[in-house]
mmCIF file of all heavy atoms in Angstrom:
data_model
loop_
_atom_site.group_PDB
_atom_site.id
_atom_site.type_symbol
_atom_site.label_atom_id
_atom_site.label_comp_id
_atom_site.label_asym_id
_atom_site.label_seq_id
_atom_site.Cartn_x
_atom_site.Cartn_y
_atom_site.Cartn_z
ATOM 1 N N ILE A 1 19.534 17.092 -12.171
ATOM 2 C CA ILE A 1 19.412 16.817 -13.598
ATOM 3 C C ILE A 1 19.325 18.160 -14.322
ATOM 4 O O ILE A 1 18.418 18.955 -14.067
ATOM 5 C CB ILE A 1 18.163 15.966 -13.914
ATOM 6 C CG1 ILE A 1 18.209 14.636 -13.160
ATOM 7 C CG2 ILE A 1 18.045 15.712 -15.422
ATOM 8 C CD1 ILE A 1 16.934 13.806 -13.300
ATOM 9 N N THR A 2 20.248 18.392 -15.218
ATOM 10 C CA THR A 2 20.329 19.705 -15.876
ATOM 11 C C THR A 2 19.869 19.674 -17.326
ATOM 12 O O THR A 2 19.574 20.716 -17.903
ATOM 13 C CB THR A 2 21.762 20.248 -15.825
ATOM 14 O OG1 THR A 2 22.634 19.320 -16.499
ATOM 15 C CG2 THR A 2 22.234 20.415 -14.379
ATOM 16 N N LYS A 3 19.847 18.481 -17.949
ATOM 17 C CA LYS A 3 19.377 18.368 -19.334
ATOM 18 C C LYS A 3 18.902 16.957 -19.594
ATOM 19 O O LYS A 3 19.055 16.070 -18.746
ATOM 20 C CB LYS A 3 20.475 18.762 -20.317
ATOM 21 C CG LYS A 3 21.790 18.006 -20.169
ATOM 22 C CD LYS A 3 22.751 18.324 -21.332
ATOM 23 C CE LYS A 3 23.125 19.787 -21.438
ATOM 24 N NZ LYS A 3 24.090 20.223 -20.424
ATOM 25 N N ASP A 4 18.312 16.732 -20.753
ATOM 26 C CA ASP A 4 17.855 15.403 -21.125
ATOM 27 C C ASP A 4 19.006 14.411 -21.007
ATOM 28 O O ASP A 4 20.116 14.680 -21.458
ATOM 29 C CB ASP A 4 17.337 15.425 -22.570
ATOM 30 C CG ASP A 4 16.876 14.057 -23.032
ATOM 31 O OD1 ASP A 4 17.719 13.304 -23.572
ATOM 32 O OD2 ASP A 4 15.697 13.744 -22.845
ATOM 33 N N PRO A 5 18.779 13.247 -20.367
ATOM 34 C CA PRO A 5 19.866 12.288 -20.148
ATOM 35 C C PRO A 5 20.590 11.872 -21.427
ATOM 36 O O PRO A 5 21.823 11.720 -21.432
ATOM 37 C CB PRO A 5 19.159 11.091 -19.499
ATOM 38 C CG PRO A 5 17.961 11.669 -18.848
ATOM 39 C CD PRO A 5 17.527 12.789 -19.729
ATOM 40 N N TYR A 6 19.855 11.703 -22.511
ATOM 41 C CA TYR A 6 20.495 11.255 -23.745
ATOM 42 C C TYR A 6 21.272 12.380 -24.409
ATOM 43 O O TYR A 6 22.249 12.138 -25.120
ATOM 44 C CB TYR A 6 19.451 10.632 -24.673
ATOM 45 C CG TYR A 6 18.997 9.299 -24.124
ATOM 46 C CD1 TYR A 6 17.917 9.226 -23.247
ATOM 47 C CD2 TYR A 6 19.683 8.132 -24.415
ATOM 48 C CE1 TYR A 6 17.529 8.009 -22.698
ATOM 49 C CE2 TYR A 6 19.303 6.918 -23.870
ATOM 50 C CZ TYR A 6 18.230 6.862 -23.010
ATOM 51 O OH TYR A 6 17.865 5.659 -22.458
ATOM 52 N N GLU A 7 20.878 13.609 -24.169
ATOM 53 C CA GLU A 7 21.676 14.751 -24.619
ATOM 54 C C GLU A 7 22.997 14.788 -23.856
ATOM 55 O O GLU A 7 24.066 15.007 -24.446
ATOM 56 C CB GLU A 7 20.909 16.056 -24.419
ATOM 57 C CG GLU A 7 21.663 17.287 -24.917
ATOM 58 C CD GLU A 7 20.911 18.589 -24.676
ATOM 59 O OE1 GLU A 7 19.723 18.528 -24.264
ATOM 60 O OE2 GLU A 7 21.499 19.662 -24.878
ATOM 61 N N SER A 8 22.937 14.551 -22.545
ATOM 62 C CA SER A 8 24.174 14.497 -21.752
ATOM 63 C C SER A 8 25.101 13.398 -22.259
ATOM 64 O O SER A 8 26.316 13.597 -22.388
ATOM 65 C CB SER A 8 23.845 14.251 -20.273
ATOM 66 O OG SER A 8 23.137 15.327 -19.711
ATOM 67 N N LEU A 9 24.529 12.223 -22.564
ATOM 68 C CA LEU A 9 25.341 11.118 -23.085
ATOM 69 C C LEU A 9 25.963 11.478 -24.412
ATOM 70 O O LEU A 9 27.159 11.240 -24.650
ATOM 71 C CB LEU A 9 24.470 9.876 -23.239
ATOM 72 C CG LEU A 9 24.182 9.068 -21.975
ATOM 73 C CD1 LEU A 9 23.069 8.065 -22.224
ATOM 74 C CD2 LEU A 9 25.437 8.349 -21.496
ATOM 75 N N ASP A 10 25.188 12.057 -25.318
ATOM 76 C CA ASP A 10 25.700 12.395 -26.643
ATOM 77 C C ASP A 10 26.779 13.470 -26.580
ATOM 78 O O ASP A 10 27.703 13.488 -27.404
ATOM 79 C CB ASP A 10 24.559 12.853 -27.550
ATOM 80 C CG ASP A 10 23.622 11.714 -27.931
ATOM 81 O OD1 ASP A 10 24.058 10.550 -27.886
ATOM 82 O OD2 ASP A 10 22.450 11.984 -28.258
ATOM 83 N N LEU A 11 26.687 14.347 -25.589
ATOM 84 C CA LEU A 11 27.698 15.400 -25.423
ATOM 85 C C LEU A 11 28.902 14.917 -24.617
ATOM 86 O O LEU A 11 29.891 15.646 -24.490
ATOM 87 C CB LEU A 11 27.069 16.614 -24.724
ATOM 88 C CG LEU A 11 26.016 17.389 -25.522
ATOM 89 C CD1 LEU A 11 25.341 18.426 -24.639
ATOM 90 C CD2 LEU A 11 26.660 18.067 -26.739
ATOM 91 N N GLY A 12 28.834 13.722 -24.059
ATOM 92 C CA GLY A 12 29.921 13.214 -23.229
ATOM 93 C C GLY A 12 29.984 13.864 -21.869
ATOM 94 O O GLY A 12 31.019 13.808 -21.189
ATOM 95 N N GLU A 13 28.876 14.478 -21.423
ATOM 96 C CA GLU A 13 28.842 15.142 -20.119
ATOM 97 C C GLU A 13 28.423 14.120 -19.071
ATOM 98 O O GLU A 13 27.265 14.061 -18.640
ATOM 99 C CB GLU A 13 27.890 16.332 -20.157
ATOM 100 C CG GLU A 13 28.347 17.421 -21.115
ATOM 101 C CD GLU A 13 27.375 18.594 -21.179
ATOM 102 O OE1 GLU A 13 26.299 18.528 -20.537
ATOM 103 O OE2 GLU A 13 27.692 19.574 -21.880
ATOM 104 N N VAL A 14 29.380 13.289 -18.670
ATOM 105 C CA VAL A 14 29.107 12.173 -17.770
ATOM 106 C C VAL A 14 30.157 12.144 -16.670
ATOM 107 O O VAL A 14 31.199 12.797 -16.761
ATOM 108 C CB VAL A 14 29.112 10.838 -18.537
ATOM 109 C CG1 VAL A 14 28.119 10.878 -19.690
ATOM 110 C CG2 VAL A 14 30.501 10.490 -19.046
ATOM 111 N N ASN A 15 29.865 11.365 -15.648
ATOM 112 C CA ASN A 15 30.839 11.098 -14.595
ATOM 113 C C ASN A 15 31.617 9.838 -14.966
ATOM 114 O O ASN A 15 31.033 8.784 -15.187
ATOM 115 C CB ASN A 15 30.137 10.918 -13.248
ATOM 116 C CG ASN A 15 29.471 12.198 -12.783
ATOM 117 O OD1 ASN A 15 30.051 13.276 -12.866
ATOM 118 N ND2 ASN A 15 28.242 12.094 -12.307
ATOM 119 N N THR A 16 32.916 9.959 -15.055
ATOM 120 C CA THR A 16 33.747 8.844 -15.504
ATOM 121 C C THR A 16 33.577 7.648 -14.577
ATOM 122 O O THR A 16 33.757 7.748 -13.364
ATOM 123 C CB THR A 16 35.221 9.263 -15.541
ATOM 124 O OG1 THR A 16 35.361 10.405 -16.389
ATOM 125 C CG2 THR A 16 36.093 8.138 -16.079
ATOM 126 N N ALA A 17 33.235 6.502 -15.156
ATOM 127 C CA ALA A 17 33.024 5.294 -14.357
ATOM 128 C C ALA A 17 32.997 4.082 -15.279
ATOM 129 O O ALA A 17 32.541 4.158 -16.418
ATOM 130 C CB ALA A 17 31.707 5.375 -13.579
ATOM 131 N N ASP A 18 33.498 2.957 -14.764
ATOM 132 C CA ASP A 18 33.258 1.679 -15.420
ATOM 133 C C ASP A 18 31.807 1.289 -15.162
ATOM 134 O O ASP A 18 31.281 1.510 -14.061
ATOM 135 C CB ASP A 18 34.176 0.589 -14.861
ATOM 136 C CG ASP A 18 35.649 0.875 -15.105
ATOM 137 O OD1 ASP A 18 35.960 1.642 -16.039
ATOM 138 O OD2 ASP A 18 36.479 0.339 -14.354
ATOM 139 N N VAL A 19 31.161 0.680 -16.157
ATOM 140 C CA VAL A 19 29.733 0.402 -16.063
ATOM 141 C C VAL A 19 29.461 -1.055 -16.424
ATOM 142 O O VAL A 19 30.089 -1.626 -17.309
ATOM 143 C CB VAL A 19 28.928 1.334 -16.999
ATOM 144 C CG1 VAL A 19 27.472 0.896 -17.114
ATOM 145 C CG2 VAL A 19 28.996 2.774 -16.495
ATOM 146 N N MET A 20 28.506 -1.649 -15.707
ATOM 147 C CA MET A 20 27.938 -2.940 -16.052
ATOM 148 C C MET A 20 26.428 -2.771 -16.046
ATOM 149 O O MET A 20 25.879 -2.092 -15.158
ATOM 150 C CB MET A 20 28.368 -3.996 -15.029
ATOM 151 C CG MET A 20 27.752 -5.359 -15.231
ATOM 152 S SD MET A 20 28.365 -6.521 -13.951
ATOM 153 C CE MET A 20 27.209 -7.872 -14.201
ATOM 154 N N MET A 21 25.746 -3.330 -17.028
ATOM 155 C CA MET A 21 24.304 -3.132 -17.078
ATOM 156 C C MET A 21 23.636 -4.256 -17.849
ATOM 157 O O MET A 21 24.263 -4.965 -18.634
ATOM 158 C CB MET A 21 23.951 -1.780 -17.702
ATOM 159 C CG MET A 21 24.381 -1.602 -19.149
ATOM 160 S SD MET A 21 24.062 0.077 -19.745
ATOM 161 C CE MET A 21 22.286 0.157 -19.583
ATOM 162 N N GLY A 22 22.347 -4.441 -17.581
ATOM 163 C CA GLY A 22 21.600 -5.472 -18.281
ATOM 164 C C GLY A 22 20.176 -5.555 -17.793
ATOM 165 O O GLY A 22 19.666 -4.656 -17.113
ATOM 166 N N TYR A 23 19.539 -6.672 -18.134
ATOM 167 C CA TYR A 23 18.126 -6.845 -17.832
ATOM 168 C C TYR A 23 17.821 -8.337 -17.745
ATOM 169 O O TYR A 23 18.646 -9.183 -18.109
ATOM 170 C CB TYR A 23 17.266 -6.178 -18.907
ATOM 171 C CG TYR A 23 17.602 -6.638 -20.308
ATOM 172 C CD1 TYR A 23 16.951 -7.729 -20.879
ATOM 173 C CD2 TYR A 23 18.574 -5.987 -21.051
ATOM 174 C CE1 TYR A 23 17.270 -8.165 -22.145
ATOM 175 C CE2 TYR A 23 18.906 -6.412 -22.329
ATOM 176 C CZ TYR A 23 18.249 -7.503 -22.872
ATOM 177 O OH TYR A 23 18.578 -7.940 -24.134
ATOM 178 N N ASN A 24 16.619 -8.663 -17.276
ATOM 179 C CA ASN A 24 16.197 -10.047 -17.140
ATOM 180 C C ASN A 24 15.544 -10.534 -18.434
ATOM 181 O O ASN A 24 15.077 -9.733 -19.251
ATOM 182 C CB ASN A 24 15.258 -10.203 -15.957
ATOM 183 C CG ASN A 24 15.932 -9.860 -14.643
ATOM 184 O OD1 ASN A 24 17.150 -9.763 -14.566
ATOM 185 N ND2 ASN A 24 15.144 -9.668 -13.595
ATOM 186 N N SER A 25 15.463 -11.847 -18.597
ATOM 187 C CA SER A 25 15.129 -12.402 -19.907
ATOM 188 C C SER A 25 13.682 -12.186 -20.338
ATOM 189 O O SER A 25 13.379 -12.232 -21.529
ATOM 190 C CB SER A 25 15.455 -13.897 -19.940
ATOM 191 O OG SER A 25 14.703 -14.610 -18.970
ATOM 192 N N ASN A 26 12.772 -11.929 -19.417
ATOM 193 C CA ASN A 26 11.371 -11.651 -19.785
ATOM 194 C C ASN A 26 10.742 -10.773 -18.717
ATOM 195 O O ASN A 26 9.894 -11.206 -17.929
ATOM 196 C CB ASN A 26 10.586 -12.951 -19.972
ATOM 197 C CG ASN A 26 9.478 -12.817 -21.001
ATOM 198 O OD1 ASN A 26 9.159 -11.730 -21.453
ATOM 199 N ND2 ASN A 26 8.873 -13.939 -21.373
ATOM 200 N N GLU A 27 11.146 -9.517 -18.693
ATOM 201 C CA GLU A 27 10.851 -8.588 -17.599
ATOM 202 C C GLU A 27 9.363 -8.497 -17.252
ATOM 203 O O GLU A 27 8.978 -8.501 -16.087
ATOM 204 C CB GLU A 27 11.364 -7.189 -17.974
ATOM 205 C CG GLU A 27 12.875 -7.074 -18.108
ATOM 206 C CD GLU A 27 13.565 -6.816 -16.788
ATOM 207 O OE1 GLU A 27 12.864 -6.661 -15.772
ATOM 208 O OE2 GLU A 27 14.812 -6.762 -16.777
ATOM 209 N N ALA A 28 8.496 -8.406 -18.251
ATOM 210 C CA ALA A 28 7.087 -8.091 -17.994
ATOM 211 C C ALA A 28 6.287 -9.258 -17.437
ATOM 212 O O ALA A 28 5.093 -9.100 -17.155
ATOM 213 C CB ALA A 28 6.426 -7.564 -19.268
ATOM 214 N N LEU A 29 6.912 -10.407 -17.220
ATOM 215 C CA LEU A 29 6.194 -11.511 -16.571
ATOM 216 C C LEU A 29 5.637 -11.086 -15.218
ATOM 217 O O LEU A 29 4.595 -11.596 -14.778
ATOM 218 C CB LEU A 29 7.119 -12.717 -16.401
ATOM 219 C CG LEU A 29 7.381 -13.574 -17.643
ATOM 220 C CD1 LEU A 29 8.476 -14.592 -17.357
ATOM 221 C CD2 LEU A 29 6.106 -14.278 -18.087
ATOM 222 N N ILE A 30 6.316 -10.166 -14.551
ATOM 223 C CA ILE A 30 5.862 -9.717 -13.235
ATOM 224 C C ILE A 30 4.500 -9.036 -13.311
ATOM 225 O O ILE A 30 3.770 -8.956 -12.320
ATOM 226 C CB ILE A 30 6.915 -8.759 -12.609
ATOM 227 C CG1 ILE A 30 6.633 -8.574 -11.117
ATOM 228 C CG2 ILE A 30 6.929 -7.422 -13.331
ATOM 229 C CD1 ILE A 30 7.716 -7.774 -10.401
ATOM 230 N N MET A 31 4.137 -8.563 -14.502
ATOM 231 C CA MET A 31 2.912 -7.775 -14.650
ATOM 232 C C MET A 31 1.674 -8.607 -14.987
ATOM 233 O O MET A 31 0.570 -8.066 -15.034
ATOM 234 C CB MET A 31 3.134 -6.728 -15.744
ATOM 235 C CG MET A 31 4.056 -5.599 -15.338
ATOM 236 S SD MET A 31 3.326 -4.584 -14.045
ATOM 237 C CE MET A 31 1.958 -3.862 -14.931
ATOM 238 N N ILE A 32 1.817 -9.893 -15.232
ATOM 239 C CA ILE A 32 0.666 -10.695 -15.663
ATOM 240 C C ILE A 32 -0.540 -10.547 -14.736
ATOM 241 O O ILE A 32 -1.678 -10.390 -15.221
ATOM 242 C CB ILE A 32 1.064 -12.171 -15.847
ATOM 243 C CG1 ILE A 32 1.899 -12.329 -17.130
ATOM 244 C CG2 ILE A 32 -0.165 -13.067 -15.923
ATOM 245 C CD1 ILE A 32 2.368 -13.746 -17.408
ATOM 246 N N PRO A 33 -0.378 -10.578 -13.404
ATOM 247 C CA PRO A 33 -1.564 -10.388 -12.552
ATOM 248 C C PRO A 33 -2.288 -9.068 -12.824
ATOM 249 O O PRO A 33 -3.523 -9.006 -12.722
ATOM 250 C CB PRO A 33 -0.994 -10.435 -11.132
ATOM 251 C CG PRO A 33 0.260 -11.248 -11.266
ATOM 252 C CD PRO A 33 0.823 -10.874 -12.597
ATOM 253 N N PHE A 34 -1.551 -8.022 -13.165
ATOM 254 C CA PHE A 34 -2.173 -6.729 -13.448
ATOM 255 C C PHE A 34 -2.826 -6.720 -14.827
ATOM 256 O O PHE A 34 -3.808 -6.009 -15.050
ATOM 257 C CB PHE A 34 -1.135 -5.606 -13.354
ATOM 258 C CG PHE A 34 -0.582 -5.410 -11.974
ATOM 259 C CD1 PHE A 34 0.553 -6.103 -11.564
ATOM 260 C CD2 PHE A 34 -1.189 -4.552 -11.079
ATOM 261 C CE1 PHE A 34 1.066 -5.939 -10.288
ATOM 262 C CE2 PHE A 34 -0.693 -4.378 -9.797
ATOM 263 C CZ PHE A 34 0.440 -5.078 -9.398
ATOM 264 N N TYR A 35 -2.301 -7.494 -15.739
ATOM 265 C CA TYR A 35 -2.886 -7.556 -17.074
ATOM 266 C C TYR A 35 -4.251 -8.237 -17.076
ATOM 267 O O TYR A 35 -5.123 -7.905 -17.875
ATOM 268 C CB TYR A 35 -1.963 -8.323 -18.027
ATOM 269 C CG TYR A 35 -0.616 -7.686 -18.267
ATOM 270 C CD1 TYR A 35 0.490 -8.473 -18.576
ATOM 271 C CD2 TYR A 35 -0.434 -6.308 -18.190
ATOM 272 C CE1 TYR A 35 1.737 -7.909 -18.805
ATOM 273 C CE2 TYR A 35 0.801 -5.731 -18.400
ATOM 274 C CZ TYR A 35 1.895 -6.539 -18.703
ATOM 275 O OH TYR A 35 3.121 -5.983 -18.925
#
């Protein structure tokens, strides 16, 4: 890692790749026992 990730994104300094990304519908449910 050579610089802040979002700086790299804004500068276009990335590795060319098709991307798929996402998240689950209520992520923090896993934490209820800790809460």
